[in-house]
Every structure is written in C-alpha cells, then in structure tokens.
Amino acid sequence: MKVYLTDQKKHFEKHLAFFKEKAIIVYDQKRLIEKSTVIDIVTKKRLTELPINFLFDYNIFPDYIMTALCQWKSEKRNMCVGDTIVQQAFLPPTRYFSHKILMGVRINNIINESKRLGFSYETLEGHIEQGVSTFMIEELEEGKIIFKIHTFSKPQHILAKLVSRIFSVPYQVFCTNQALKNAKKQLEKYN
C-alpha cells in the first residue's frame, strides 16, 4: 500500500511495475469473512447479448471510489490469469480532496461459461485487505440476469484492523453497493 495526496493516474505504469513484483498475501480462506452481494439486472437480453466490456476492463467501481490500471490493458491484450491490477482508492470517496491509496491485486481465475462470465483476484502484499474477490454476471435458470460480488476477506493492514468495525467494514459495504449500482447501470444501458 502506498498513500498519496495527489492523483497517481499519470504514474500508474510505474506503480503497476512495482505491484507486479509483489506476492499474493497468504491466507486461509476458512479464517476469512465470506460475503456475497447481488443485484438484479432488468433486461430481456440473454447473457451473450449484454455489454460486458466494462467487466473485463475492470470498470466496476465508480471513478470517484477507485481508478485502476490493468496489466492487460497496459499491454493491449485480453485479461489472463496472473495479470496484476494497480488500484487507486479514494478516501473519502472523492477524486479531489482525498487520500489516494494504491494497492495491487492479481487475477487468479477467469470465468467464461455459457451462463456465467467474470473473474476473481487475490490481494497482493501491502494491500489493506487480504483475500479473494469474484465479480460475475450470471444468467439463472429462469433467464434472470444478476451481477454478483463474492468475497472472502478481512482487514490486513494494522490500521484497517483497528478501525474495522467503525470504518473499514462500513466503507467496504458502501463501495460494494456502489459497484453493484454501477454494474447495473452498465448492463442496463442498452435495453
């Protein structure tokens, strides 16, 4: 984790190189907190007809919460297992008068099934959290479409551990809810 007072977007390539060298935080999934949040997508389209580029471009979180650079976008190719993402989270959630917290995650799975599309990543050394997050668009049996964020995580950084009940957990819930709303907006945009 690195903390700045200025937006680091123009330095993302340098930060990406730094985080590519970091290892995944070792974790025991049984000791992490599992959370699954879902939002319904109102559409008559099938999964294969939906605009999913935002998902694989990692444009899931609104840009007042987080901006990012993905290794595959930097290298002008598709996402692969093992790719790194440098994340710049804004605390509080505003691009201007906030601390810019830089962290890294690594893709560990890509889901490309007929009824499920998405990916998951694990946190890298120095991340404020430890664990794994999955982002997925799913078509259920009855044709209903959902967007799901499924995590196994807990605070990693000492400060996050100290304030987890009063700050970290509520902030994570806020960010997740904003990501769900953003995904819904992206997926319903062309109905």
Side-chain angles (χ1 to χ4, degrees), residues 3-155:
V3 180
Y4 295 89
L5 292 175
T6 57
D7 191 332
Q8 293 297 297
K9 194 169 188 172
K10 63 184 173 186
H11 304 290
F12 271 177
E13 291 287 345
K14 174 184 77 166
H15 294 297
L16 180 60
F18 172 81
F19 285 112
K20 282 167 58 174
E21 300 300 317
K22 295 295 179 186
I24 292 167
I25 297 171
V26 177
Y27 60 90
D28 177 357
Q29 191 165 308
K30 294 178 199 135
R31 297 178 144 234
L32 302 178
I33 300 164
E34 181 179 13
K35 295 179 198 142
S36 190
T37 51
V38 175
I39 195 164
D40 292 338
I41 307 304
V42 180
T43 184
K44 292 185 170 132
K45 294 182 178 182
R46 307 295 300 212
L47 179 61
T48 56
E49 301 170 314
L50 291 171
I52 61 163
N53 288 348
F54 80 96
L55 177 65
F56 290 103
D57 287 343
Y58 192 56
N59 290 326
I60 298 166
F61 294 91
D63 66 1
Y64 59 88
I65 290 177
M66 180 187 299
T67 56
L69 177 63
C70 308
Q71 182 178 348
W72 64 93
K73 290 184 82 172
S74 173
E75 296 174 3
K76 297 176 177 51
R77 58 175 174 76
N78 292 330
M79 177 192 290
C80 294
V81 170
D83 280 344
T84 299
I85 304 171
V86 59
Q87 302 171 317
Q88 177 176 241
F90 301 112
L91 193 61
T94 174
R95 291 187 68 145
Y96 301 104
F97 302 106
S98 62
H99 287 85
K100 284 63 173 173
I101 302 170
L102 272 71
M103 304 164 287
V105 294
R106 184 154 302 128
I107 303 297
N108 73 332
N109 188 29
I110 298 171
I111 303 157
N112 188 5
E113 302 169 5
S114 62
K115 300 289 185 180
R116 298 181 334 138
L117 296 171
F119 64 91
S120 63
Y121 58 58
E122 297 171 298
T123 55
L124 299 179
E125 292 173 344
H127 200 285
I128 203 161
E129 294 275 320
Q130 65 174 294
V132 60
S133 297
T134 303
F135 303 88
M136 187 169 42
I137 305 167
E138 190 171 351
E139 185 173 335
L140 305 178
E141 291 296 319
E142 63 278 5
K144 180 178 173 181
I145 304 286
I146 61 168
F147 181 79
K148 181 191 303 186
I149 300 175
H150 188 199
T151 61
F152 290 90
S153 68
K154 70 178 185 179

